[in-house]
Amino acid sequence: MLSVQLYSVRDQLAADRPATLARLAAIGFRHVEPFGLGSPDRTSAERLAAARSLRADLDAAGLAVSAVHAGLPGDIAELEEECAVLGADTAFIPHPRLVRGFGEETFADPGQLDAFAETLGAAAESAVSLRLGYHNHWFEWARLPDGTTGYDRFWRRTSARLLAELDVYWAVAAGADPASVLAELGDRAVALHLKDGPAEPGAPQTPIGTGRVDVRGVLAGSPSIRWHVVEIDTADLDPFDLLATNAATLVSDGRTTWS
């Protein structure tokens, strides 16, 4: 089932959120994946007020939430409250820096990595109304002194309750094989981020089927994964046009549905 990561239209959201959400709905999207929850720069009251405001705009556009991208506050219950406002039952941590005490270098340091895995695993175990997961970029595949990768060590060391959202594009950028990664993750993988292009950090992304990422092959090999999230990090094309093209391609292939 299709969703769209709202980071794809972050500038448009900042300028006019109701109009941006309405345009996504007009393309055909019925689900979105918001970002920015669990912000350490806001108080709990401010985060809840922001979630209520976003929920009102989503309701007006006829959009529901598939999952969210969020930081990890000191108390997981605070993130559960935010997600409940939005009707979301799953939150993915999209970067180590959104967990206090960690950063991008975490995946290159075995000690830090083990501590990070323990922190997220403990949060996943303690959550009551929320499923917690992790979303990758490319740096997680840093080579460790023992020859393994940070990504592999992380999933071996953390709780089985922690879920995965595999960003297929960034896995390819890291030199990983998405099919093999999904096979290792098994049923912990519940969502995919889908986009195409040269699979290089900072390079503009392009329509699905025109770059290095075998999106169709990944979907064919992972029929049990529910959420197919289209996203754009950076592109020369109009983001709405690119999102519409990518979504239409996936639906016409029969690999996913609007709802």
Side-chain angles (χ1 to χ4, degrees):
M1 190 152 44
L2 271 174
S3 183
V4 56
Q5 167 55 241
L6 291 182
Y7 184 78
S8 309
V9 287
R10 54 199 177 276
D11 294 337
Q12 292 79 6
L13 285 169
D16 190 336
R17 188 168 71 190
T20 299
L21 296 175
R23 189 165 178 186
L24 292 175
I27 288 172
F29 291 107
R30 294 294 173 262
H31 295 88
V32 299
E33 189 179 65
F35 66 98
L37 279 78
S39 171
D41 299 325
R42 293 177 173 177
T43 66
S44 177
E46 289 171 336
R47 291 196 297 264
L48 284 174
R52 294 187 185 104
S53 176
L54 175 57
R55 176 63 186 265
D57 287 345
L58 291 171
D59 287 347
L63 295 168
V65 173
S66 58
V68 303
H69 277 195
L72 186 63
D75 185 351
I76 189 67
E78 294 183 10
L79 181 56
E80 290 183 291
E81 286 188 88
E82 283 183 85
C83 289
V85 170
L86 294 176
D89 65 0
T90 307
F92 296 107
I93 307 299
H95 200 289
R97 66 169 175 259
L98 295 177
V99 180
R100 189 178 302 278
F102 299 99
E104 186 171 318
E105 71 285 351
T106 292
F107 277 80
D109 183 302
Q112 286 193 45
L113 183 52
D114 290 351
F116 184 63
E118 172 62 27
T119 298
L120 291 196
E125 291 284 348
S126 64
V128 176
S129 62
L130 185 69
R131 303 191 307 170
L132 192 66
Y134 184 75
H135 167 93
N136 65 279
H137 287 82
W138 64 91
F139 54 81
E140 289 90 348
W141 278 270
R143 190 64 60 179
L144 299 176
D146 65 1
T148 64
T149 68
Y151 191 82
D152 291 339
R153 184 183 182 104
F154 172 75
W155 289 106
R156 289 199 306 269
R157 297 295 178 111
T158 195
S159 165
R161 289 192 63 181
L162 190 75
L163 302 177
E165 179 177 62
L166 180 67
D167 190 308
V168 174
Y169 185 88
W170 292 128
V172 171
D177 172 34
S180 297
V181 174
L182 288 170
E184 287 291 326
L185 290 170
D187 59 10
R188 296 175 76 174
V190 297
L192 301 172
H193 265 210
L194 304 172
K195 50 206 171 193
D196 207 350
E200 298 173 0
Q205 288 150 10
T206 61
I208 287 173
T210 65
R212 291 181 53 207
V213 184
D214 182 13
V215 172
R216 293 179 173 94
V218 170
L219 291 182
S222 53
S224 65
I225 292 182
R226 182 182 184 191
W227 291 110
H228 307 135
V229 186
V230 291
E231 182 189 35
I232 305 165
D233 297 283
T234 182
D236 292 333
L237 302 172
D238 177 86
F240 295 104
D241 290 344
L242 182 52
L243 290 171
T245 296
N246 286 347
T249 296
L250 295 174
V251 171
S252 65
D253 282 351
R255 302 300 187 191
T256 192
T257 60
W258 290 106
S259 61

